[in-house]
Amino acid sequence: MRDKLGFDCAALVARGFPHAGGATHTTLVNLGYPAETLAYITTTYSRTCPVHQLAVRWGTPLRFMDVPFDYRETRTYREAILPNDFREGLTLPLAPPTAGAAIPGFVTMSSTHATPLDNESRLALTMLSHDLAGLIDPGAEAGDAGADVVLWITRDLVEVRTGGLGLAPLTRTELHLAVRSAVASAAGRVGFHHRAADGTWWHVRAVRRPGAVLVRCGRVPAFGCLTSRELDVVGLVARGWSNERISQALGIAVRTVRSHVESLLIKLDCPNRTTLARTAFERELDTVDALWVANH
């Protein structure tokens, strides 16, 4: 893209992990940007620059010439454009996987020549937006919320695609359990929900790929209706386990398991245990603890 469109620098930037000071951003690909400029792009530019905010609001590739104000009055001009002698630039917000979701990231390109990108190329970039978003969040499926952490795990390597390994809600042992479970699964995948140490809920999906397993972790709203133990139980119900087997595996009384199952039938509006198991499978209502006991 950079070479065909005649730009000197290009970067693919992923939406980062939210925190009190605002979302951070992660550079996945950098072609030519100096480190200082890239640091500005992933912090100040992506958070507060009016050029970037306008591009996101419009949802289309935004050139310098498209900005309805004098960009030379912005901090971006003083700290990124002027020091590098950039004379033309473009920001492409990437299409979110679902309507109303936050953009997964953006592409920024800059050049020392003053020729603006033509409208046909802008249209082509707009059409490529979904494909480029797929580079940031590989493995996303229709209806998925954006992942905060995406990991590509092989036998000897954990490669971070989005976010950071330290942001993942699972320990390394739990990650490798998810990987083993995906490899062993007939479907080549496992999905489950997990409550992190800070109380936040996450949806985790591990999908077997040639030579590796792709793990996506995304924060989800708190489970207001299901407790952690009910999720453990329903995950084992989905595997066809009896109340007695679940009782032994989780170390709880059979009557407690029976009580959880009855509660789950009501909360998930299921008429019987078979429907409950199917609902749990379809909605990936499973947990790390259920994976542990099933693995053993």
Side-chain angles (χ1 to χ4, degrees):
M1 282 174 50
R2 180 197 64 175
D3 296 342
K4 289 290 186 180
L5 298 177
F7 286 86
D8 299 300
C9 306
L12 175 64
V13 181
R15 178 177 61 89
F17 197 75
H19 59 82
T24 60
H25 289 75
T26 303
T27 302
L28 299 184
V29 178
N30 175 33
L31 303 176
Y33 278 112
E36 298 81 5
T37 305
L38 201 62
Y40 176 83
I41 290 172
T42 57
T43 54
T44 305
Y45 177 77
S46 59
R47 293 179 189 170
T48 63
C49 180
V51 177
H52 179 73
Q53 292 173 343
L54 192 61
V56 171
R57 187 158 61 246
W58 287 356
T60 60
L62 183 65
R63 303 167 295 192
F64 287 179
M65 63 177 289
D66 298 321
V67 178
F69 50 81
D70 189 351
Y71 66 85
R72 290 171 295 184
E73 297 178 356
T74 65
R75 183 176 173 183
T76 299
Y77 178 76
R78 296 192 303 271
E79 299 193 17
I81 298 174
L82 191 60
N84 293 289
D85 196 30
F86 292 145
R87 301 179 63 194
E88 175 55 26
L90 176 140
T91 292
L92 170 66
L94 302 182
T98 57
I103 66 166
F106 60 94
V107 172
T108 180
M109 293 188 286
S110 304
S111 179
T112 53
H113 67 69
T115 305
L117 195 67
D118 60 80
N119 289 328
E120 289 185 1
S121 297
R122 289 181 66 207
L123 177 60
L125 286 176
T126 303
M127 296 174 67
L128 282 172
S129 179
H130 282 282
D131 294 329
L132 293 170
L135 297 177
I136 286 181
D137 191 359
E141 299 177 1
D144 282 350
D148 296 294
V149 181
V150 179
L151 305 173
W152 182 262
I153 302 178
T154 62
R155 183 183 299 272
D156 304 313
L157 179 68
V158 177
E159 178 185 339
V160 177
R161 294 290 180 86
T162 301
L165 186 57
L167 303 175
L170 305 176
T171 66
R172 280 187 175 267
T173 301
E174 290 168 339
L175 277 174
H176 285 293
L177 170 66
V179 169
R180 291 198 307 271
S181 300
V183 170
S185 169
R189 58 187 288 159
V190 294
F192 57 92
H193 290 77
H194 178 69
R195 189 177 186 180
D198 62 359
T200 57
W201 279 97
W202 293 70
H203 176 247
V204 180
R205 182 185 294 137
V207 182
R208 186 174 64 218
R209 295 292 178 83
V213 172
L214 183 75
V215 180
R216 299 179 73 253
C217 307
R219 296 196 300 178
V220 295
F223 269 86
C225 63
L226 301 187
T227 66
S228 299
R229 183 57 86 190
E230 286 175 341
L231 277 173
D232 294 336
V233 170
V234 78
L236 297 176
V237 169
R239 291 173 170 84
W241 286 26
S242 66
N243 289 348
E244 290 72 18
R245 189 178 181 187
I246 295 173
S247 166
Q248 184 178 13
L250 297 181
I252 57 179
V254 174
R255 65 177 179 275
T256 303
V257 176
R258 188 178 301 112
S259 176
H260 285 318
V261 171
E262 291 173 353
S263 175
L264 287 161
L265 290 170
I266 295 171
K267 289 182 177 181
L268 297 177
D269 193 25
C270 296
N272 52 52
R273 194 182 184 98
T274 301
T275 305
L276 178 64
R278 184 172 65 249
T279 299
F281 177 79
E282 292 173 348
R283 295 175 56 179
E284 297 185 331
L285 301 179
D286 206 354
T287 64
V288 168
D289 287 343
L291 283 178
W292 274 122
V293 297
N295 196 268
H296 291 159

